[in-house]
RNA sequence: GGGCGGUUAGCUCAGCUGGGAGAGCGCCUCCCUUACAAGGAGGAGGUCGGCAGUUCGAACCUGCCACCGCCCACCA
């Protein structure tokens, strides 16, 4: 006897199967097969901590795709790995050090790097075990890390080639600087937030005049670095000052009054102080007008020696002091409250300081052109499609990318600076001498690369590039990328540019953009709100398959996902339902029964199948087709939802209930069909709920070692018979109407009631053939078919489609309630009748609408008429209360 | 300042190519019927944000408006 517990126990099952799958090498991609490849590279999680719900969603979706394609016979590869995440990881470790009262400088670079590597190991082990707990079928033999030996080689190769092609340059420019992280960051790493501040109006004396030029600024401390005042060339108010000079207060520096169209005449006084050293606009203006740059704020956010009396002060302190000093001198005209955007460091929220420094940049325009083209011509397709516009807009307006970081954790820039002539020699390996002056004293650049530089290579660096490997040949370009909208620019765009540049082909054919996983009320999950749901905790409590299914069914493309615990409980129940549906069949099955497609085909041809068999087989084919279609277009929410409904509410609720009598009577046909449908359903469900389906599949008759490698079912459209499905629907509606009538009259569900039916001739034949089902599922006794219903005795009555029924009672019912029920039903039908009449009376509708729509309306109108007549009849037939 | 998305049942959301408004959870009634109480049967609940237009027909297409959210942008 088969021993299956009454409820599904995920823990036991999950432990068992994952290690077996992995040990047997089922996850491995191959290079020695003629099968078409389907590959995905994981968006590598940062080694900063543990996985959150977003990762769980992302991984689940990828695993669904990979498992599906694997079953479809593709040579699949899902390549896992992690990201060294430069600045983010360095910050994590620095925080740990701070707990010990230390800074990274106390350790020194080498010891600090060692410390980060130690942490990396811990975080990575943790992350990888979490990915395994999610059931992900990654090829662990190909696991990569953005900072491992091979990938570092790829990074150097790319850097050198870009440099040689003139696409990387070093120079002194204004960059975004984080004074806390003490590094330059890219434009993307600055997050702007509306902030309430002030607008200081400052009087700049005009040289050789009593006049003042009033400028407005939100950052008075930067005035110390002003090297001009700008007005609009068409601004009549200032024409008399053309070519003039202003005297910078506090510094007593003479600065020119320049004219430039970047000035907005409407804003403030129409005169702008120009600080090329600390403002992006002013920097540009400074270059146009060849203005000197005075750097008054340093890398720590303190005032430099060039800030005169304010040197050494923190920038905010300096702001207050400058304002106070101006006030004292009567040069502060007014201070207004002012709202504006302030940029902060993405990693630490410190207010970013624009300052001039020497950095390395990628000239991205040439790269962006190809990357733009590839999306326009459909080589890479975004799902949902509207993201391609967001991508294109960004690519079109792209600025050069600052790639150097003054950090310790990351790929050292492969450039060696000459101690003698200052030249940078860029090379794949350490050069013996300076490439310009030949000096033997080149020292490697201490800066590291932006972490996205290495992740931008991920789709090919992980496959062995720059070597020409079988892996590259087989799996590049990858098939799909699954990722969040938040890293389209950071990551997707860079991969597109670099993939096209170095592989001559897009890195992926499809980009599936997922939304944000939110808390059950649609709020963003965050530590401060305390509403974080830990994937591991819910897996522990509800089982991996329930968590996966919840994520899958919620994942409408591009939409955010409120992760609902109550919903997950519902899907855990679904897992249990699958378990018990299978359990029922297994407990009642003959061992050795064969339920392969050919067996069912023979039964079909011999005509041994009954209506319910043909119906469920037809529905299975339809669901199979739909699942395929939906997965193909990344409608994972629809695919999973359809399967849910089919398995539970069609297979279990109807089919299994319909055949119980046959099963008890030893009908092997029913057993075969049921087993077949179950086995196919498990395969269809496997990508979504891998553990449960494997566990059950192993107990069913089949060939093969694992459901993972069993073929994904292919629909047989010839098994879809619309007539069967239509008739079955009618039967279901009648049974439901009978149940409703009983329930609403509070009839004991166990009591069998004798029934009379009146219906059209054709329906009668059909119902007679299905009367056993009516008896079982609606708890009926004797059934009679009459031309008109008799009226004697106590009865409850009802109607479904064209069939009228009457159930004889031997107990009193609440006549008022029954009357009320009939009237409600009549009311609803009356509304339908009016609506349909209006439609059909409309000549235009009849003339212009497609024939099948008009026919459908006519048929419905007829049915509604019949039902109404019958209900009226019944209502009048009710005895007075 | 530009761009994108959303507004559907008490809650959270589906609704594909325009043609009888759906799911899960919650709520109410009945039932522990030997697959499953993490279950079964039934029920209540919606002017599909507003207005206008296109159409025989609009939750769906178009325009305007309102509110919410997101992204991008150098307004001192």
């Amino acid at each position: 006897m088969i021993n299956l517990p009454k409820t599904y126990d995920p823990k036991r099952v999950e432990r068992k199967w994952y290690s077996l799958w992995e040990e047997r090498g089922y996850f491995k991609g191959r290079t020695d097969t003629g099968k078409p490849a389907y590959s995905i590279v994981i968006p590598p999680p940062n080694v900063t901590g543990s996985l959150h719900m977003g990762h769980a969603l992302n991984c689940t979706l990828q695993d669904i795709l990979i498992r599906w394609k694997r079953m479809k016979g593709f040579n699949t590869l899902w390549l896992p790995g992690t990201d060294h995440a430069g600045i983010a990881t360095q910050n994590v470790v620095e925080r740990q050090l701070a707990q010990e009262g230390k800074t990274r400088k106390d350790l020194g670079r080498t010891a600090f790097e060692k410390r980060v590597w130690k942490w990396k190991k811990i975080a990575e082990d943790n992350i990888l075990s979490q990915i395994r707990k999610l059931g992900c079928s990654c090829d662990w033999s190909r696991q990569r890390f953005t900072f491992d030996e091979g990938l570092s080689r790829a990074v150097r190769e790319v850097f050198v080639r870009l440099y040689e092609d003139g696409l990387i340059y070093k120079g002194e420019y204004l960059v975004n600087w984080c004074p806390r992280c003490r590094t330059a960051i890219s434009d993307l790493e600055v997050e702007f937030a509306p902030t309430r501040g002030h607008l200081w109006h400052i009087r700049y004396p005009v040289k050789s005049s009593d006049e003042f030029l009033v400028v407005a600024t939100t950052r008075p401390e930067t005035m110390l670095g002003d090297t001009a005042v700008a007005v609009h060339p068409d601004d009549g108010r200032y024409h008399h000052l053309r070519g003039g000079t202003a005297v910078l207060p506090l510094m007593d520096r003479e600065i020119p009054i320049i004219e430039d169209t970047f000035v907005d005449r409407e804003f403030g006084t129409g005169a702008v102080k120009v600080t090329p050293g600390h403002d992006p606009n002013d920097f540009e203006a400074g270059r146009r007008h060849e203005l000197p740059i005075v750097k008054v704020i340093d890398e720590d956010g303190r005032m430099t020696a060039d800030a005169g009396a304010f040197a050494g002060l923190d920038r905010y302190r300096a702001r207050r002091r400058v304002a106070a000093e101006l006030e004292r001198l009567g040069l502060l005209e007014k201070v207004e409250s002012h709202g504006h955007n302030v940029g902060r460091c993405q990693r630490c929220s410190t207010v970013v300081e624009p300052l001039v420094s020497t950095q390395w940049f990628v000239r991205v325009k040439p790269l962006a052109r190809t990357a733009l083209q590839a999306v326009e011509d459909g080589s890479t397709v975004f799902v949902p499609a509207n993201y391609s516009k967001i991508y294109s807009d960004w690519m079109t307006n792209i600025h050069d990318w600052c790639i150097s970081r003054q950090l310790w954790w990351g790929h050292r820039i492969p450039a060696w600076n000459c101690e003698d002539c200052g030249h940078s020699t860029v090379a794949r390996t350490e050069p013996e001498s300076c490439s310009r002056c030949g000096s033997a004293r080149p020292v490697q650049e201490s800066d590291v690369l932006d972490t996205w530089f290495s992740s931008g290579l991920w789709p090919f660096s992980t496959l062995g590039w720059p070597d020409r490997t079988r892996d590259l040949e087989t799996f590049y370009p990858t098939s799909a990328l699954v990722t969040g909208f938040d890293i389209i620019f950071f990551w997707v765009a860079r991969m597109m540019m670099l993939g096209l540049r170095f592989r001559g082909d897009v890195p992926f054919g499809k980009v599936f953009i997922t939304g944000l996983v939110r808390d059950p009320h649609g709020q963003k999950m965050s530590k401060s709100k305390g509403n974080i749901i830990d994937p591991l905790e819910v897996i522990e409590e509800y089982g991996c398959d329930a968590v996966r299914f919840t994520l899958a069914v919620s994942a409408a493309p591009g939409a955010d996902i409120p992760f609902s615990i109550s919903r997950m409980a519902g899907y855990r129940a679904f897992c249990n339902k699958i378990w018990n549906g299978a359990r029922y069949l297994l407990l009642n099955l003959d061992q050795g029964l064969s339920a392969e497609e050919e067996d069912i085909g023979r039964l079909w041809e011999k005509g041994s199948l009954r209506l319910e068999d043909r119906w469920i087989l037809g529905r299975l084919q339809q669901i199979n087709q739909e699942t395929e279609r939906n997965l193909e277009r990344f409608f994972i929410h629809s695919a999973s939802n359809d399967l849910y409904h089919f398995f539970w509410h069609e297979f279990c609720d109807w089919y299994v209930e319909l055949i119980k009598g046959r099963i008890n009577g030893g009908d092997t046909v029913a057993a075969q069909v049921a087993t077949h449908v179950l086995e196919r359903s498990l395969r269809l469900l496997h990508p979504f709920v891998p553990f449960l389906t494997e566990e059950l599949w192993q107990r069913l008759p089949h060939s093969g070692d694992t459901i993972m490698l069993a073929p994904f079912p292919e629909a047989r459209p010839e098994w879809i018979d619309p007539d069967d499905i239509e008739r079955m629907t009618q039967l279901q509606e009648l049974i439901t109407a009978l149940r409703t009538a009983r329930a609403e009259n509070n009839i004991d569900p166990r009591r069998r009631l004798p029934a009379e039916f009146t219906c059209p001739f054709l329906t009668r034949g059909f119902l007679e053939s299905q009367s056993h089902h009516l008896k079982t599922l609606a708890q009926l006794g004797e059934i009679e078919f009459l031309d008109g219903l008799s009226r004697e005795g106590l009865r409850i009555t009802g109607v479904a489609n064209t069939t009228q029924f009457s159930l004889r009672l031997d107990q009193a019912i609440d006549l008022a309630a029954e009357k009320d029920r009939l009237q409600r039903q009549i009311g609803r039908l009356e509304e339908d009748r009016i609506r349909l009449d209006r439609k059909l009376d409309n000549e235009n509708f009849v003339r212009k609408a497609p024939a099948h729509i008009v026919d459908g309306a006519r048929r419905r109108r007829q049915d509604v008429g019949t039902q109404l007549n019958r209900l009226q009849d019944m209502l009048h037939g009710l005895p007075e209360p």
Side-chain angles (χ1 to χ4, degrees):
Chain A
M1 197 62 211
I2 292 158
N3 175 28
L4 276 184
K6 279 176 81 164
T7 50
Y8 171 53
D9 176 9
K11 274 182 207 137
R12 236 190 28 167
V13 170
E14 287 167 20
R15 255 202 306 273
K16 185 169 61 181
W17 289 114
Y18 193 88
S19 48
L20 189 136
W21 291 331
E22 192 178 346
E23 278 159 25
R24 294 202 182 156
Y26 294 158
F27 299 160
K28 282 196 178 145
R30 307 171 56 127
T31 50
D32 57 352
T33 163
K35 289 201 267 181
Y38 186 90
S39 57
I40 296 180
V41 289
I42 201 170
N46 292 349
V47 288
T48 45
S50 52
L51 298 191
H52 53 66
M53 263 304 168
H55 292 113
L57 168 72
N58 182 254
C59 286
T60 297
L61 297 178
Q62 290 171 82
D63 197 44
I64 288 168
L65 294 172
I66 280 287
R67 284 181 185 270
W68 167 51
K69 290 290 185 180
R70 189 183 291 118
M71 291 175 80
K72 297 275 295 173
F74 285 80
N75 172 29
T76 52
L77 167 64
W78 183 13
L79 189 146
T82 48
D83 195 323
H84 73 285
I87 190 169
T89 309
Q90 173 159 330
N91 281 351
V92 167
V93 176
E94 281 190 298
R95 272 199 294 276
Q96 291 168 1
L97 287 176
Q99 299 261 307
E100 303 161 20
K102 287 189 255 179
T103 69
R104 70 175 202 255
K105 281 181 200 128
D106 295 334
L107 273 69
R109 186 159 185 163
T110 312
F112 179 75
E113 281 180 63
K114 225 183 216 163
R115 172 87 185 225
V116 185
W117 277 105
K118 219 168 96 191
W119 161 253
K120 173 259 178 185
K121 171 96 177 77
I122 297 168
E124 188 177 60
D125 285 353
N126 183 30
I127 288 166
L128 300 182
S129 92
Q130 286 180 304
I131 295 177
R132 284 182 165 90
K133 288 229 167 79
L134 278 163
C136 296
S137 54
C138 304
D139 182 348
W140 297 106
S141 69
R142 287 182 168 87
Q143 179 192 328
R144 291 290 185 274
F145 177 56
T146 53
F147 202 9
D148 66 24
E149 189 43 45
L151 272 64
S152 300
R153 193 156 68 92
V155 165
R156 284 195 300 275
E157 183 68 26
V158 164
F159 187 96
V160 172
R161 284 206 212 168
L162 286 175
Y163 180 80
E164 286 169 349
D165 294 342
L167 293 174
I168 281 184
Y169 61 93
K170 184 185 185 182
E172 209 180 26
Y173 295 91
L174 190 78
V175 295
N176 305 296
W177 184 272
C178 174
R180 201 220 58 87
C181 299
R182 269 196 128 268
T183 177
I185 55 181
S186 71
D187 293 349
L188 283 177
E189 289 163 285
V190 182
E191 289 176 347
F192 288 92
T195 311
R196 281 238 64 85
H198 300 279
L199 197 55
W200 281 270
H201 292 248
I202 309 172
R203 297 181 179 140
Y204 285 13
V206 176
K207 192 185 168 190
S208 330
S209 147
D210 298 337
E211 215 178 317
F212 289 112
L213 195 49
V214 179
V215 299
T217 180
T218 52
R219 304 192 55 198
E221 72 280 12
T222 63
M223 68 157 292
L224 304 172
D226 283 3
T227 52
V229 177
V231 296
H232 195 278
D234 302 334
D235 194 338
R237 289 175 291 178
Y238 299 114
H239 279 168
H240 65 291
L241 296 176
R242 274 180 177 164
T245 302
V247 181
L248 186 64
L250 308 182
M251 302 301 285
D252 277 335
R253 184 159 71 229
E254 293 191 359
I255 56 178
I257 297 168
I258 60 171
E259 294 176 286
D260 198 294
T261 51
F262 89 101
V263 178
D264 178 359
R265 277 172 285 177
E266 311 299 319
F267 189 90
T269 58
V272 193
K273 60 190 274 308
V274 181
T275 322
H278 297 283
D279 180 277
N281 271 322
D282 296 1
F283 181 77
E284 290 302 320
R287 306 196 110 198
R288 285 195 293 274
H289 298 273
E290 296 181 345
L291 299 173
I293 293 170
V294 177
K295 182 170 173 177
V296 290
I297 302 172
D298 71 9
E299 282 68 15
D300 291 315
R302 310 178 87 84
M303 306 313 287
T304 66
D306 284 338
F310 302 90
L313 288 180
D314 169 80
R315 52 185 169 156
Y316 292 105
R317 192 132 191 200
R319 177 176 301 177
R320 288 193 294 272
R321 291 277 288 275
V322 166
E325 194 59 18
L326 289 169
E327 172 93 79
R328 195 178 64 77
L329 296 170
L331 294 174
L332 196 56
E333 183 153 301
K334 61 174 171 176
V335 183
E336 294 173 319
S337 170
H338 181 69
H340 61 140
N341 276 331
V342 172
R344 290 170 181 276
C345 171
Q346 183 195 32
R347 291 295 163 191
C348 73
S349 285
T350 302
V351 173
V352 163
E353 184 61 48
L355 53 82
V356 173
S357 68
T358 303
Q359 303 289 344
W360 293 82
F361 298 86
V362 177
R363 208 184 299 283
V364 284
K365 284 272 184 205
L367 301 176
R369 253 196 304 280
T370 5
L372 198 53
Q373 179 62 30
V375 167
E376 264 161 28
D377 69 19
S379 306
T380 294
V381 175
F382 279 86
V383 179
N386 56 306
Y387 283 100
S388 54
K389 183 177 158 46
I390 294 174
Y391 167 92
S392 297
D393 287 351
W394 188 77
M395 273 294 181
T396 309
N397 301 309
I398 197 164
H399 297 296
D400 282 1
W401 172 20
C402 175
I403 49 169
S404 44
R405 297 288 180 275
Q406 290 64 50
L407 302 169
W408 285 355
W409 176 242
H411 302 93
R412 285 278 280 273
I413 289 179
W416 283 263
N417 302 324
C418 179
E419 301 234 305
D420 294 329
C421 76
H423 175 70
S424 295
T425 304
V426 170
R428 287 168 180 82
T429 52
E430 180 164 5
E432 300 202 342
S433 59
C434 171
S435 64
R436 188 161 75 188
C437 72
S439 156
R441 299 199 298 156
V443 175
Q444 186 168 9
E445 180 80 60
S446 63
D447 289 0
V448 302
L449 286 164
D450 180 4
T451 193
W452 298 103
F453 191 90
S454 54
S455 29
L457 317 179
W458 188 249
F460 54 93
S461 62
T462 51
L463 295 172
W465 191 91
D467 294 336
R468 296 165 66 153
T469 61
R470 298 276 301 173
D471 272 10
L472 261 181
E473 238 171 79
T474 312
F475 297 114
Y476 192 97
T478 66
S479 312
L481 178 80
V482 181
T483 193
F485 60 85
D486 50 332
I487 52 176
I488 290 179
F489 307 142
F490 279 113
W491 194 45
V492 180
R494 271 81 179 256
M495 284 191 287
M496 288 293 287
M497 294 192 284
L498 294 167
L500 282 158
R501 179 83 186 178
F502 291 96
R503 295 295 306 151
D505 200 352
V506 294
F508 23 71
K510 301 272 170 65
V511 183
F512 180 38
I513 300 292
T514 62
L516 211 65
V517 182
R518 294 170 174 273
D519 85 350
H521 301 287
Q523 298 290 308
K524 222 168 171 168
M525 287 190 200
S526 73
K527 279 185 199 137
S528 55
K529 282 187 207 149
N531 61 350
I532 291 197
I533 299 172
D534 176 1
L536 281 196
E537 273 175 29
V538 288
I539 286 175
E540 185 70 17
E541 193 177 345
Y542 293 85
C544 173
D545 288 335
V547 175
R548 287 174 60 118
F549 204 85
T550 307
L551 289 167
V553 89
S554 317
D560 283 354
I561 297 165
F563 190 86
S564 155
I565 298 281
S566 60
R567 223 174 152 182
M568 180 170 52
Y571 293 117
R572 175 181 59 181
F574 176 53
C575 291
N576 198 45
K577 193 71 187 180
I578 299 172
W579 181 261
N580 276 290
R583 183 166 177 263
Y584 169 77
L585 289 178
L586 288 168
L587 291 173
N588 291 285
L589 222 55
D590 286 338
Q591 298 297 324
L593 186 86
S594 175
E596 295 297 324
E597 198 168 304
E598 309 84 75
D599 302 311
I600 306 299
R602 270 193 296 277
L603 293 173
W604 186 284
E605 269 148 41
K606 280 198 317 208
S608 322
L609 298 180
R610 299 203 195 169
L611 174 68
E612 63 267 24
D613 302 330
R614 297 164 58 94
W615 165 74
I616 197 70
L617 285 168
R619 287 292 300 138
L620 175 68
Q621 311 314 313
Q622 288 180 324
I623 288 296
N624 196 338
Q625 288 175 333
E626 279 301 294
T627 306
E628 189 83 35
R629 191 174 138 257
N630 282 324
L631 285 176
E632 204 63 68
R633 58 183 184 149
F634 298 94
F635 270 37
I636 290 169
H637 66 306
S638 297
S640 45
N641 194 48
D642 290 351
L643 286 168
Y644 171 92
H645 187 269
F646 171 75
F647 192 88
W648 196 327
H649 299 302
E650 299 192 84
F651 181 63
C652 290
D653 285 354
W654 286 100
Y655 184 70
V656 173
E657 292 305 322
L658 285 165
I659 61 162
K660 273 186 175 167
R662 292 164 70 193
I663 295 283
N664 288 339
D667 179 341
T668 54
V669 172
Q672 274 175 298
V673 173
T675 307
H676 176 78
V677 175
L678 171 67
E679 197 270 344
R680 290 297 151 126
S681 302
L682 290 179
R683 285 201 231 169
L684 290 169
L685 282 160
H686 178 259
F688 306 90
V689 283
F691 293 112
L692 170 63
T693 47
E694 178 75 293
E695 175 70 17
L696 292 172
W697 192 78
Q698 291 293 339
R699 299 166 185 262
L700 287 173
H702 59 75
S703 53
D705 298 326
T706 169
I707 191 171
M708 266 191 70
L709 303 178
F712 198 73
E714 292 214 13
R716 293 186 60 155
E718 69 273 21
W719 284 0
I720 301 171
D721 183 335
D723 289 343
D724 287 340
I725 292 172
E726 171 60 29
R727 280 188 295 170
M728 188 64 208
T729 307
Q730 274 189 30
L731 185 62
Q732 289 174 322
E733 278 170 3
L734 179 56
I735 289 169
T736 303
L738 285 160
R739 285 168 169 172
T740 307
R742 296 178 57 121
E744 296 207 334
N745 282 292
N746 290 321
I747 312 282
D748 184 333
R750 283 155 304 193
R751 182 185 291 274
R752 291 191 171 276
L753 298 181
E756 293 172 5
F757 291 99
T758 301
C759 56
F761 180 71
L762 284 176
T763 315
R764 174 174 175 169
F766 166 62
L767 288 182
E768 272 175 336
S769 73
Q770 304 298 326
S771 59
H772 53 292
H773 287 325
L774 293 170
K775 285 181 181 172
T776 346
L777 296 191
Q779 292 293 318
L780 300 183
E782 283 307 305
I783 290 180
E784 282 181 277
F785 289 90
L786 304 172
D787 291 333
L789 298 184
S790 50
R791 290 194 172 161
E792 72 275 9
L794 284 164
R795 298 177 170 279
I796 53 174
T797 52
V799 66
N801 295 306
T802 51
T803 304
Q804 189 180 8
F805 62 82
S806 161
L807 304 176
R808 199 163 64 241
L809 296 171
D810 52 4
Q811 66 180 48
I813 55 163
D814 183 340
L815 280 172
E818 175 64 358
K819 202 169 160 184
D820 187 53
R821 191 178 71 83
L822 289 174
Q823 265 164 348
R824 273 205 323 270
Q825 209 177 338
I826 288 170
R828 273 195 295 259
L829 283 168
E830 276 293 342
E831 281 174 34
D832 277 0
R833 187 181 61 77
I834 292 165
R835 193 174 42 79
L836 287 165
D837 277 344
R838 214 174 18 229
K839 219 171 193 181
L840 289 164
D841 288 347
N842 183 339
E843 267 180 56
N844 282 324
F845 171 72
V846 178
R847 208 174 59 236
K848 293 187 183 171
H852 72 276
I853 297 291
V854 179
D855 287 350
R858 287 212 176 100
R859 247 196 328 269
R860 278 206 310 281
R861 173 64 184 83
Q862 219 167 31
D863 287 359
V864 166
T866 316
Q867 288 192 37
L868 272 172
N869 287 340
R870 297 201 158 148
L871 283 166
Q872 297 286 7
D873 218 35
M874 292 182 235
L875 189 63
H876 296 141
L878 277 182
E880 285 305 313

